[in-house]
Amino acid sequence: MPPVTPHRLLFVCTANICRSPVAEEIARMYAAERCWAVEVRSAGVHAMADQPAAPNMIRAAKEMGGDITKHRSSPLTDEHIQWADRILVMEIRHASAIRERFPGADEKVQMLGTFGGMMEIADPYGSWFYYKYRNCKDELVTCVQTFMDRLPPRPIAPPT
């Protein structure tokens, strides 16, 4: 049996320190639970390189059993665009920035929020209120899992 080609999902937000790292972790965990062939990455349209995840987002990820403590931000590059099968963005302005900088990526870009009944997933960064980070994480769980449930199945072959 030939090896299964994994789905390659790229999650994109502004600075790659809140929403996209958590979405990446959710997708990684969900794929592992279901033994699905999925590879995930994240980046930011205005990210500075090598920044840690926001402390309150690290805390929110821990609530779901995730760990983004080792995450370091990555500015969006052509290599990310070429690598990805699907590019899932948090806001319309992220989609616009990608389409402007990488015109060939147009058909890969999707609004992640639409898989949870919303258009955009608001950025909690800078809020003094932890519940905004928790709410964002909860929205991301719903959106990422719903999106992934709609992908064509690509199960990982069981070991022989």
Side-chain angles (χ1 to χ4, degrees):
M1 172 185 272
V4 175
T5 303
H7 291 285
R8 291 181 170 174
L9 309 179
L10 176 65
F11 296 95
V12 176
C13 67
T14 305
N16 190 220
I17 60 170
C18 274
R19 294 169 289 177
S20 57
V22 169
E24 177 184 2
E25 182 71 358
I26 293 164
R28 183 177 290 113
M29 293 169 60
Y30 198 60
E33 282 176 22
R34 283 154 179 72
C35 295
W36 290 345
V38 176
E39 294 176 5
V40 292
R41 294 184 186 172
S42 65
V45 293
H46 298 297
M48 293 188 300
D50 205 37
Q51 298 298 304
N56 278 334
M57 216 45 158
I58 290 171
R59 181 177 163 198
K62 282 183 183 176
E63 288 182 358
M64 63 174 198
D67 183 3
I68 60 170
T69 56
K70 292 182 178 144
H71 172 80
R72 293 297 176 265
S73 60
S74 177
L76 184 63
T77 65
D78 189 55
E79 191 274 328
H80 286 111
I81 301 297
Q82 296 302 316
W83 173 85
D85 297 324
R86 312 279 180 115
I87 302 168
L88 296 134
V89 300
M90 309 297 156
E91 299 176 28
I92 292 169
R93 67 188 178 111
H94 301 146
S96 297
I98 292 169
R99 288 180 174 125
E100 185 177 305
R101 288 172 46 197
F102 308 98
D106 185 52
E107 292 191 17
K108 296 180 180 185
V109 177
Q110 293 180 269
M111 296 292 298
L112 182 59
T114 61
F115 295 94
M118 62 196 84
M119 180 58 74
E120 297 185 324
I121 299 171
D123 191 352
Y125 188 74
S127 175
W128 292 19
F129 301 109
Y130 176 68
Y131 77 86
K132 291 194 176 204
Y133 291 84
R134 178 182 287 138
N135 289 348
C136 180
K137 179 258 308 170
D138 292 343
E139 288 175 355
L140 288 166
V141 167
T142 298
C143 295
V144 169
Q145 291 179 352
T146 301
F147 169 78
M148 289 179 70
D149 286 342
R150 294 180 183 185
L151 288 172
R154 292 187 185 167
I156 297 171
T160 54

